[in-house]
Structures are given as structure tokens and as C-alpha cells.
Amino acid sequence: MGTKNTECLICGDKIIYSDEVQDVVCHICGNKFKSNAICENGHFVCDKCHSNAALDKIIEFCLETKEKDATIIVQDLMRLEFVHMHGPEHHYLVAAALLTAYNNNGYGDKFWNLNKALKEAKVRASVVPGGVCAFWGCCGAAISAGIFAAIIAKVNPLSKEERGNVNLLTSIILERISKDEGPRCCKRECFSSVLITMEFASKTWDINLGDTQSIKCTFYPNNNQCKGKACQYRK
Ligand SMILES: [Zn+2]
Ligand SMILES: [Zn+2]
């Protein structure tokens, strides 16, 4: 089971978001950063310390599981140790679940290797900071779906049609996320990202990443900002 912390990893109290970044020191690694997310008791935990242990657990699980349905894999990953209620580990989780479903459904050419793909996705996802949904206007779960699509479609900045496809995919996800407004919920945005990618991959590349078409959230008791019945995954 993941930790029950829904807010500060050190004390569990609320994270306060200020308008401007300030100089902070990570409570775990002691390195200096600039951030605007500090808990009520003054704790700051950097993205790396927040998610590194989770990313290793995610890779370990993905290489073991034989599950073919991305909606099931993504929820399995959310239950792993070190995967918190919210946090930048979700920027990797979506890509990892989709790549694993892709692999377990037998796709990929002779160059395909799940271990390699998971590592490449980790490099890309690790540079997407926490809070980008709000600070950049581009949710990290949507970016994670884009990372999956870019890897399987072998997209680079000079690609034509597939560069269009990956940006179309993230735009559809972001539209969904925009309609859900806030407060952010990393679980909700991951569910939307996975479900929309499954539909998109089926239509665009004739790829089946699982048959489940809906998800019922079981994580909401740990989410202090859950929107309750207003959330599509609580119905
Ligand atoms: Zn704290
Ligand atoms: Zn740190």
C-alpha cells in the first residue's frame, strides 16, 4: 500500500502554495531549490525525493506483470509503496501503465523492448515537475500519455503525421482535464489520460490496450480535496 500522506510527506499537514517561488531546502536530501509549495510547518520535499523510490517500484512491477489492460495496470501502480495520493510520480505512472499494456498485448517490432521503453519514459517524465497542471497549464498525466505515444510511434520533432497525432492526443486529454477544473487530483487525471489514450490508440493505430471502458475510484478516502459525486470516477 502507498503511504497515507495526502499532503506534506514529512508531517502530513497542508501544503501552502505561494504566488512566488522562494529559496528552499529539501527536508530529505538537503539540496537547495526554488519552490512555491511548502507545508504549514515549513517542510519542503523536492520532486526527486518525492518520487524516486516510486519510479523504481513502478518499473519493477511493470516488468513482472502479465496484465494486458492499462486501466488495471494503472490502478495496480497507484497501490504500490511510495506512490502517494498526489505527486510527480504520476507523471511517469501513466506512460508506464500504457507501455506495459502495449507490451503485454504483443505489440512492438523487433527493436521493441519494454525495459528500454520504461527507462526512456522515466528519463522524459522525470523532468516534468510537480504542479505543472497549474503552473504551466499542462497536466503531467497528459504529458505522460504523450510520452507513451511518442515512444511507440517513434516521434521526433521532424516527424510529420505522428508529431500531429501525439499533440492531438494530449490536447484531447487536456480538454477533458480542463472540464474537470480543480482542485487537481492526480488519480482522476491519470484515469482520464489512460482511458482517452486507449480509445485514441485503438482508432489511430489499431492498438488494443485493454477492454475496460470505465474506472471506479477507490483512492478518494485519502484525497482531502476530492470533489465527491462531482467526480466522474465516483459515480
Ligand atoms: Zn510538513
Ligand atoms: Zn530532495
Side-chain angles (χ1 to χ4, degrees):
M1 285 300 288
T3 69
K4 292 289 171 285
N5 284 328
T6 62
E7 309 292 348
C8 172
L9 289 196
I10 307 301
C11 69
D13 273 357
K14 261 193 210 138
I15 306 280
I16 309 292
Y17 294 98
S18 55
D19 289 339
E20 282 172 32
V21 292
Q22 45 187 295
D23 293 321
V24 290
V25 174
C26 173
H27 196 80
I28 296 175
C29 67
N31 289 324
K32 288 179 186 163
F33 297 89
K34 294 205 181 285
S35 177
N36 46 7
I38 296 143
C39 98
E40 284 181 331
N41 297 312
H43 299 128
F44 166 77
V45 176
C46 76
D47 282 345
K48 220 172 169 190
C49 288
H50 199 286
S51 58
N52 249 8
L55 302 198
D56 292 342
K57 287 272 169 203
I58 290 168
I59 291 182
E60 204 180 294
F61 182 91
C62 288
L63 292 175
E64 284 279 311
T65 185
K66 298 282 170 269
E67 179 56 55
K68 293 180 172 181
D69 192 311
T71 65
I72 295 172
I73 301 170
V74 80
Q75 293 175 83
D76 286 342
L77 297 182
M78 287 171 177
R79 291 186 201 102
L80 292 177
E81 195 184 1
F82 306 123
V83 175
H84 309 292
M85 182 65 213
H86 307 294
E89 58 270 34
H90 294 84
H91 301 168
Y92 181 53
L93 210 134
V94 170
L98 291 164
L99 287 169
T100 304
Y102 178 84
N103 181 74
N104 292 351
N105 281 292
Y107 297 109
D109 56 23
K110 60 180 177 174
F111 303 107
W112 170 259
N113 175 308
L114 179 62
N115 190 21
K116 231 173 91 188
L118 288 169
K119 283 187 175 149
E120 174 61 26
K122 185 183 164 187
V123 169
R124 299 186 193 186
S126 297
V127 294
V128 181
V132 282
C133 58
F135 299 131
W136 294 2
C138 189
C139 170
I143 296 175
S144 194
I147 291 172
F148 157 75
I151 288 176
I152 64 144
K154 299 187 173 70
V155 188
N156 71 51
L158 303 181
S159 307
K160 291 186 178 172
E161 191 187 353
E162 296 295 21
R163 181 177 178 276
N165 280 331
V166 294
N167 280 280
L168 178 60
L169 168 63
T170 49
S171 77
I172 296 168
I173 296 170
L174 287 172
E175 186 180 14
R176 170 73 257 166
I177 291 171
S178 81
K179 287 181 177 145
D180 289 330
E181 299 183 339
R184 63 79 183 88
C185 174
C186 292
K187 301 308 189 227
R188 180 187 65 215
E189 329 306 20
C190 283
F191 295 157
S192 296
S193 299
V194 167
L195 288 166
I196 290 169
T197 304
M198 287 166 80
E199 201 189 329
F200 188 89
S202 162
K203 275 192 210 153
T204 310
W205 300 298
D206 197 22
I207 284 169
N208 177 21
L209 299 171
D211 299 320
T212 307
Q213 285 165 15
S214 64
I215 296 174
K216 253 194 176 324
C217 182
T218 56
F219 301 93
Y220 63 85
N222 290 327
N223 182 9
N224 292 340
Q225 296 97 20
C226 178
K227 292 167 71 158
K229 291 288 169 201
C231 174
Q232 61 195 298
Y233 303 111
R234 290 285 302 273
K235 283 165 188 154

Short mmCIF file of all heavy atoms in Angstrom, two decimals, residues 3-57:
data_model
loop_
_atom_site.label_atom_id
_atom_site.label_comp_id
_atom_site.label_asym_id
_atom_site.label_seq_id
_atom_site.Cartn_x
_atom_site.Cartn_y
_atom_site.Cartn_z
N THR A 3 1.78 5.22 0.96
CA THR A 3 1.65 5.87 2.25
C THR A 3 0.34 6.65 2.27
O THR A 3 -0.22 6.98 1.25
CB THR A 3 2.80 6.85 2.52
OG1 THR A 3 2.63 7.95 1.63
CG2 THR A 3 4.14 6.19 2.33
N LYS A 4 -0.13 6.94 3.48
CA LYS A 4 -1.40 7.62 3.62
C LYS A 4 -1.26 9.14 3.52
O LYS A 4 -2.22 9.86 3.61
CB LYS A 4 -2.07 7.22 4.94
CG LYS A 4 -2.52 5.77 4.97
CD LYS A 4 -3.72 5.57 4.03
CE LYS A 4 -4.08 4.11 3.84
NZ LYS A 4 -3.13 3.40 2.96
N ASN A 5 0.01 9.59 3.40
CA ASN A 5 0.20 11.04 3.32
C ASN A 5 -0.54 11.61 2.13
O ASN A 5 -0.37 11.14 1.02
CB ASN A 5 1.68 11.37 3.15
CG ASN A 5 2.42 11.22 4.46
OD1 ASN A 5 1.85 11.46 5.50
ND2 ASN A 5 3.67 10.82 4.38
N THR A 6 -1.36 12.58 2.36
CA THR A 6 -2.02 13.22 1.22
C THR A 6 -1.45 14.61 1.02
O THR A 6 -1.74 15.27 0.06
CB THR A 6 -3.52 13.33 1.45
OG1 THR A 6 -3.74 14.15 2.60
CG2 THR A 6 -4.14 11.98 1.67
N GLU A 7 -0.65 15.08 1.96
CA GLU A 7 -0.13 16.44 1.86
C GLU A 7 1.37 16.41 2.06
O GLU A 7 2.06 15.80 1.26
CB GLU A 7 -0.83 17.32 2.91
CG GLU A 7 -2.36 17.23 2.90
CD GLU A 7 -3.00 17.82 1.64
OE1 GLU A 7 -2.30 18.51 0.89
OE2 GLU A 7 -4.20 17.61 1.43
N CYS A 8 1.89 17.04 3.10
CA CYS A 8 3.34 17.05 3.33
C CYS A 8 3.82 15.63 3.65
O CYS A 8 3.25 14.95 4.49
CB CYS A 8 3.67 17.99 4.49
SG CYS A 8 5.40 17.88 5.01
N LEU A 9 4.89 15.20 2.96
CA LEU A 9 5.42 13.85 3.19
C LEU A 9 6.08 13.73 4.56
O LEU A 9 6.26 12.63 5.08
CB LEU A 9 6.46 13.49 2.13
CG LEU A 9 5.97 13.22 0.72
CD1 LEU A 9 7.05 12.52 -0.07
CD2 LEU A 9 4.69 12.41 0.72
N ILE A 10 6.47 14.87 5.14
CA ILE A 10 7.17 14.82 6.42
C ILE A 10 6.18 14.81 7.58
O ILE A 10 6.27 13.97 8.47
CB ILE A 10 8.14 16.03 6.55
CG1 ILE A 10 9.06 16.12 5.33
CG2 ILE A 10 8.94 15.95 7.85
CD1 ILE A 10 9.93 14.90 5.07
N CYS A 11 5.24 15.74 7.58
CA CYS A 11 4.35 15.85 8.75
C CYS A 11 2.88 15.60 8.43
O CYS A 11 2.06 15.47 9.34
CB CYS A 11 4.51 17.22 9.40
SG CYS A 11 3.85 18.56 8.39
N GLY A 12 2.52 15.53 7.15
CA GLY A 12 1.13 15.25 6.78
C GLY A 12 0.23 16.48 6.77
O GLY A 12 -0.94 16.40 6.40
N ASP A 13 0.80 17.63 7.14
CA ASP A 13 -0.02 18.84 7.13
C ASP A 13 -0.15 19.42 5.72
O ASP A 13 0.51 18.98 4.79
CB ASP A 13 0.57 19.90 8.09
CG ASP A 13 0.04 19.70 9.51
OD1 ASP A 13 -0.81 18.80 9.69
OD2 ASP A 13 0.49 20.41 10.41
N LYS A 14 -1.02 20.40 5.61
CA LYS A 14 -1.34 21.01 4.32
C LYS A 14 -0.14 21.66 3.64
O LYS A 14 0.70 22.28 4.29
CB LYS A 14 -2.38 22.12 4.53
CG LYS A 14 -3.78 21.67 4.23
CD LYS A 14 -4.70 22.88 4.14
CE LYS A 14 -6.09 22.50 4.57
NZ LYS A 14 -6.74 23.47 5.42
N ILE A 15 -0.11 21.55 2.30
CA ILE A 15 0.88 22.28 1.51
C ILE A 15 0.29 23.65 1.17
O ILE A 15 -0.86 23.74 0.74
CB ILE A 15 1.18 21.55 0.17
CG1 ILE A 15 1.58 20.09 0.42
CG2 ILE A 15 2.22 22.31 -0.64
CD1 ILE A 15 2.99 19.85 0.84
N ILE A 16 1.07 24.69 1.40
CA ILE A 16 0.62 26.04 1.06
C ILE A 16 1.33 26.46 -0.23
O ILE A 16 2.55 26.38 -0.32
CB ILE A 16 1.00 27.04 2.19
CG1 ILE A 16 0.53 26.52 3.55
CG2 ILE A 16 0.47 28.43 1.89
CD1 ILE A 16 -0.94 26.48 3.75
N TYR A 17 0.56 26.88 -1.21
CA TYR A 17 1.14 27.36 -2.46
C TYR A 17 1.19 28.88 -2.45
O TYR A 17 0.15 29.53 -2.38
CB TYR A 17 0.31 26.88 -3.65
CG TYR A 17 0.33 25.37 -3.82
CD1 TYR A 17 -0.70 24.58 -3.34
CD2 TYR A 17 1.41 24.75 -4.46
CE1 TYR A 17 -0.67 23.19 -3.48
CE2 TYR A 17 1.45 23.37 -4.61
CZ TYR A 17 0.40 22.60 -4.12
OH TYR A 17 0.44 21.24 -4.26
N SER A 18 2.40 29.42 -2.52
CA SER A 18 2.52 30.88 -2.56
C SER A 18 2.59 31.33 -4.02
O SER A 18 2.82 30.52 -4.91
CB SER A 18 3.77 31.33 -1.80
OG SER A 18 4.90 30.67 -2.33
N ASP A 19 2.39 32.63 -4.25
CA ASP A 19 2.39 33.15 -5.62
C ASP A 19 3.78 33.19 -6.23
O ASP A 19 3.94 33.12 -7.43
CB ASP A 19 1.77 34.55 -5.65
CG ASP A 19 0.27 34.49 -5.40
OD1 ASP A 19 -0.30 33.40 -5.61
OD2 ASP A 19 -0.32 35.51 -5.00
N GLU A 20 4.77 33.34 -5.38
CA GLU A 20 6.14 33.46 -5.90
C GLU A 20 7.03 32.36 -5.35
O GLU A 20 6.86 31.93 -4.21
CB GLU A 20 6.72 34.81 -5.51
CG GLU A 20 6.21 35.94 -6.38
CD GLU A 20 6.64 37.29 -5.88
OE1 GLU A 20 7.74 37.39 -5.31
OE2 GLU A 20 5.85 38.25 -6.06
N VAL A 21 8.01 31.95 -6.18
CA VAL A 21 8.95 30.93 -5.71
C VAL A 21 9.90 31.55 -4.69
O VAL A 21 10.19 32.74 -4.73
CB VAL A 21 9.78 30.31 -6.86
CG1 VAL A 21 8.91 29.49 -7.78
CG2 VAL A 21 10.54 31.36 -7.63
N GLN A 22 10.35 30.71 -3.77
CA GLN A 22 11.35 31.17 -2.81
C GLN A 22 12.45 30.12 -2.67
O GLN A 22 12.31 29.00 -3.15
CB GLN A 22 10.69 31.44 -1.45
CG GLN A 22 9.71 30.38 -1.01
CD GLN A 22 8.95 30.77 0.25
OE1 GLN A 22 9.55 30.92 1.31
NE2 GLN A 22 7.66 30.92 0.16
N ASP A 23 13.57 30.52 -2.05
CA ASP A 23 14.67 29.58 -1.83
C ASP A 23 14.27 28.61 -0.73
O ASP A 23 13.84 29.03 0.35
CB ASP A 23 15.94 30.34 -1.42
CG ASP A 23 16.45 31.19 -2.58
OD1 ASP A 23 16.39 30.70 -3.72
OD2 ASP A 23 16.88 32.34 -2.34
N VAL A 24 14.39 27.31 -1.02
CA VAL A 24 14.00 26.29 -0.04
C VAL A 24 15.06 25.19 -0.01
O VAL A 24 15.85 25.05 -0.94
CB VAL A 24 12.63 25.66 -0.40
CG1 VAL A 24 11.50 26.65 -0.20
CG2 VAL A 24 12.63 25.14 -1.83
N VAL A 25 15.04 24.43 1.07
CA VAL A 25 15.97 23.30 1.21
C VAL A 25 15.12 22.04 1.37
O VAL A 25 14.20 22.00 2.19
CB VAL A 25 16.88 23.50 2.45
CG1 VAL A 25 17.75 22.26 2.68
CG2 VAL A 25 17.76 24.73 2.26
N CYS A 26 15.41 21.00 0.57
CA CYS A 26 14.64 19.75 0.67
C CYS A 26 14.90 19.10 2.03
O CYS A 26 16.05 18.93 2.44
CB CYS A 26 15.02 18.79 -0.46
SG CYS A 26 14.28 17.17 -0.27
N HIS A 27 13.82 18.76 2.72
CA HIS A 27 13.91 18.19 4.06
C HIS A 27 14.57 16.80 4.04
O HIS A 27 15.10 16.34 5.05
CB HIS A 27 12.50 18.08 4.66
CG HIS A 27 12.49 17.87 6.14
ND1 HIS A 27 12.66 18.91 7.03
CD2 HIS A 27 12.36 16.75 6.88
CE1 HIS A 27 12.62 18.43 8.26
NE2 HIS A 27 12.44 17.12 8.20
N ILE A 28 14.55 16.13 2.88
CA ILE A 28 15.10 14.77 2.79
C ILE A 28 16.55 14.79 2.31
O ILE A 28 17.44 14.26 2.98
CB ILE A 28 14.21 13.88 1.89
CG1 ILE A 28 12.82 13.73 2.55
CG2 ILE A 28 14.86 12.50 1.67
CD1 ILE A 28 11.80 12.98 1.72
N CYS A 29 16.82 15.40 1.15
CA CYS A 29 18.19 15.33 0.60
C CYS A 29 19.05 16.53 0.98
O CYS A 29 20.27 16.50 0.80
CB CYS A 29 18.14 15.18 -0.92
SG CYS A 29 17.49 16.63 -1.79
N GLY A 30 18.44 17.59 1.48
CA GLY A 30 19.21 18.76 1.91
C GLY A 30 19.65 19.68 0.78
O GLY A 30 20.33 20.67 1.02
N ASN A 31 19.29 19.34 -0.46
CA ASN A 31 19.68 20.20 -1.59
C ASN A 31 18.80 21.45 -1.65
O ASN A 31 17.68 21.46 -1.16
CB ASN A 31 19.58 19.43 -2.91
CG ASN A 31 20.68 18.38 -3.01
OD1 ASN A 31 21.80 18.61 -2.57
ND2 ASN A 31 20.34 17.23 -3.58
N LYS A 32 19.36 22.49 -2.30
CA LYS A 32 18.63 23.76 -2.39
C LYS A 32 17.79 23.81 -3.67
O LYS A 32 18.24 23.37 -4.73
CB LYS A 32 19.62 24.93 -2.41
CG LYS A 32 20.27 25.16 -1.06
CD LYS A 32 21.26 26.31 -1.15
CE LYS A 32 22.00 26.44 0.18
NZ LYS A 32 23.22 27.24 0.04
N PHE A 33 16.62 24.38 -3.57
CA PHE A 33 15.71 24.51 -4.72
C PHE A 33 14.99 25.85 -4.64
O PHE A 33 15.06 26.55 -3.62
CB PHE A 33 14.66 23.38 -4.71
CG PHE A 33 15.24 22.02 -4.86
CD1 PHE A 33 15.65 21.29 -3.75
CD2 PHE A 33 15.40 21.45 -6.12
CE1 PHE A 33 16.20 20.02 -3.89
CE2 PHE A 33 15.95 20.19 -6.26
CZ PHE A 33 16.34 19.47 -5.15
N LYS A 34 14.26 26.15 -5.71
CA LYS A 34 13.30 27.25 -5.67
C LYS A 34 11.92 26.61 -5.80
O LYS A 34 11.69 25.78 -6.67
CB LYS A 34 13.54 28.22 -6.82
CG LYS A 34 14.89 28.93 -6.70
CD LYS A 34 14.88 30.26 -7.42
CE LYS A 34 16.23 30.96 -7.34
NZ LYS A 34 16.51 31.56 -6.04
N SER A 35 11.02 26.97 -4.90
CA SER A 35 9.68 26.37 -4.96
C SER A 35 8.65 27.29 -4.33
O SER A 35 8.98 28.19 -3.56
CB SER A 35 9.69 25.03 -4.20
OG SER A 35 8.39 24.48 -4.19
N ASN A 36 7.40 27.05 -4.67
CA ASN A 36 6.32 27.79 -4.00
C ASN A 36 5.38 26.83 -3.28
O ASN A 36 4.26 27.18 -2.94
CB ASN A 36 5.55 28.68 -4.98
CG ASN A 36 5.20 27.95 -6.25
OD1 ASN A 36 5.41 26.74 -6.37
ND2 ASN A 36 4.69 28.67 -7.23
N ALA A 37 5.84 25.59 -3.05
CA ALA A 37 5.00 24.60 -2.36
C ALA A 37 5.67 24.16 -1.07
O ALA A 37 6.57 23.32 -1.07
CB ALA A 37 4.77 23.40 -3.28
N ILE A 38 5.26 24.76 0.02
CA ILE A 38 5.86 24.46 1.33
C ILE A 38 4.74 24.16 2.32
O ILE A 38 3.69 24.81 2.28
CB ILE A 38 6.70 25.66 1.81
CG1 ILE A 38 7.88 25.86 0.83
CG2 ILE A 38 7.25 25.46 3.22
CD1 ILE A 38 8.24 27.27 0.60
N CYS A 39 4.94 23.20 3.20
CA CYS A 39 3.87 22.84 4.12
C CYS A 39 3.71 23.87 5.23
O CYS A 39 4.55 24.75 5.41
CB CYS A 39 4.07 21.43 4.69
SG CYS A 39 4.84 21.41 6.31
N GLU A 40 2.61 23.74 5.96
CA GLU A 40 2.30 24.71 7.03
C GLU A 40 3.40 24.79 8.09
O GLU A 40 3.55 25.80 8.76
CB GLU A 40 0.99 24.32 7.71
CG GLU A 40 -0.23 24.66 6.87
CD GLU A 40 -1.53 24.30 7.55
OE1 GLU A 40 -1.55 23.35 8.36
OE2 GLU A 40 -2.53 24.96 7.26
N ASN A 41 4.17 23.69 8.21
CA ASN A 41 5.25 23.68 9.20
C ASN A 41 6.61 23.98 8.57
O ASN A 41 7.66 23.75 9.19
CB ASN A 41 5.30 22.32 9.91
CG ASN A 41 4.02 22.08 10.69
OD1 ASN A 41 3.57 22.95 11.42
ND2 ASN A 41 3.41 20.92 10.50
N GLY A 42 6.59 24.44 7.31
CA GLY A 42 7.82 24.87 6.67
C GLY A 42 8.61 23.77 5.97
O GLY A 42 9.73 24.00 5.53
N HIS A 43 8.04 22.56 5.85
CA HIS A 43 8.78 21.49 5.17
C HIS A 43 8.67 21.63 3.65
O HIS A 43 7.61 21.94 3.13
CB HIS A 43 8.20 20.11 5.55
CG HIS A 43 8.29 19.81 7.00
ND1 HIS A 43 7.19 19.41 7.72
CD2 HIS A 43 9.33 19.86 7.85
CE1 HIS A 43 7.56 19.21 8.99
NE2 HIS A 43 8.85 19.47 9.09
N PHE A 44 9.77 21.30 2.99
CA PHE A 44 9.77 21.20 1.53
C PHE A 44 10.43 19.88 1.16
O PHE A 44 11.45 19.50 1.73
CB PHE A 44 10.54 22.37 0.89
CG PHE A 44 10.84 22.13 -0.56
CD1 PHE A 44 9.84 22.28 -1.52
CD2 PHE A 44 12.10 21.71 -0.97
CE1 PHE A 44 10.10 22.03 -2.87
CE2 PHE A 44 12.36 21.45 -2.31
CZ PHE A 44 11.36 21.62 -3.26
N VAL A 45 9.82 19.15 0.21
CA VAL A 45 10.42 17.91 -0.30
C VAL A 45 10.54 18.05 -1.81
O VAL A 45 9.55 18.37 -2.49
CB VAL A 45 9.55 16.68 0.05
CG1 VAL A 45 10.14 15.41 -0.58
CG2 VAL A 45 9.46 16.50 1.56
N CYS A 46 11.75 17.85 -2.36
CA CYS A 46 11.96 18.05 -3.80
C CYS A 46 11.28 16.92 -4.60
O CYS A 46 10.96 15.86 -4.06
CB CYS A 46 13.45 18.13 -4.12
SG CYS A 46 14.33 16.56 -4.10
N ASP A 47 11.08 17.17 -5.91
CA ASP A 47 10.40 16.19 -6.76
C ASP A 47 11.11 14.85 -6.77
O ASP A 47 10.49 13.79 -6.78
CB ASP A 47 10.30 16.72 -8.20
CG ASP A 47 9.18 17.76 -8.33
OD1 ASP A 47 8.33 17.84 -7.42
OD2 ASP A 47 9.16 18.48 -9.34
N LYS A 48 12.44 14.89 -6.79
CA LYS A 48 13.23 13.66 -6.85
C LYS A 48 12.98 12.82 -5.60
O LYS A 48 12.71 11.62 -5.68
CB LYS A 48 14.71 14.02 -6.95
CG LYS A 48 15.46 13.12 -7.89
CD LYS A 48 16.87 13.63 -8.11
CE LYS A 48 17.64 12.54 -8.84
NZ LYS A 48 19.06 12.81 -8.90
N CYS A 49 13.07 13.46 -4.43
CA CYS A 49 12.85 12.72 -3.18
C CYS A 49 11.40 12.28 -3.07
O CYS A 49 11.09 11.26 -2.45
CB CYS A 49 13.23 13.60 -1.98
SG CYS A 49 15.01 13.81 -1.85
N HIS A 50 10.49 13.05 -3.69
CA HIS A 50 9.07 12.71 -3.62
C HIS A 50 8.78 11.46 -4.44
O HIS A 50 7.93 10.66 -4.08
CB HIS A 50 8.23 13.89 -4.13
CG HIS A 50 6.80 13.84 -3.70
ND1 HIS A 50 5.90 12.97 -4.25
CD2 HIS A 50 6.14 14.53 -2.76
CE1 HIS A 50 4.73 13.14 -3.67
NE2 HIS A 50 4.84 14.08 -2.76
N SER A 51 9.49 11.27 -5.55
CA SER A 51 9.05 10.23 -6.47
C SER A 51 10.08 9.17 -6.85
O SER A 51 9.71 8.15 -7.43
CB SER A 51 8.48 10.87 -7.74
OG SER A 51 9.45 11.67 -8.34
N ASN A 52 11.37 9.36 -6.53
CA ASN A 52 12.38 8.41 -6.99
C ASN A 52 12.11 6.95 -6.58
O ASN A 52 12.19 6.05 -7.41
CB ASN A 52 13.75 8.82 -6.46
CG ASN A 52 14.64 9.29 -7.60
OD1 ASN A 52 14.16 9.44 -8.72
ND2 ASN A 52 15.90 9.52 -7.31
N ALA A 53 11.78 6.74 -5.31
CA ALA A 53 11.53 5.38 -4.83
C ALA A 53 10.33 4.79 -5.55
O ALA A 53 10.31 3.60 -5.90
CB ALA A 53 11.30 5.40 -3.32
N ALA A 54 9.33 5.62 -5.82
CA ALA A 54 8.12 5.15 -6.51
C ALA A 54 8.45 4.73 -7.93
O ALA A 54 7.97 3.70 -8.40
CB ALA A 54 7.07 6.26 -6.51
N LEU A 55 9.30 5.49 -8.62
CA LEU A 55 9.61 5.18 -10.02
C LEU A 55 10.29 3.81 -10.12
O LEU A 55 9.99 3.02 -11.03
CB LEU A 55 10.49 6.26 -10.65
CG LEU A 55 9.94 7.69 -10.67
CD1 LEU A 55 10.69 8.53 -11.70
CD2 LEU A 55 8.45 7.75 -10.97
N ASP A 56 11.19 3.50 -9.19
CA ASP A 56 11.84 2.18 -9.20
C ASP A 56 10.82 1.07 -8.97
O ASP A 56 10.86 0.03 -9.63
CB ASP A 56 12.93 2.12 -8.13
CG ASP A 56 14.09 3.04 -8.47
OD1 ASP A 56 14.22 3.44 -9.65
OD2 ASP A 56 14.88 3.38 -7.57
N LYS A 57 9.90 1.28 -8.03
CA LYS A 57 8.86 0.28 -7.75
C LYS A 57 7.97 0.08 -8.98
O LYS A 57 7.53 -1.04 -9.27
CB LYS A 57 7.97 0.74 -6.58
CG LYS A 57 8.65 0.64 -5.24
CD LYS A 57 8.43 -0.74 -4.62
CE LYS A 57 9.33 -0.91 -3.41
NZ LYS A 57 9.59 -2.30 -3.07
#
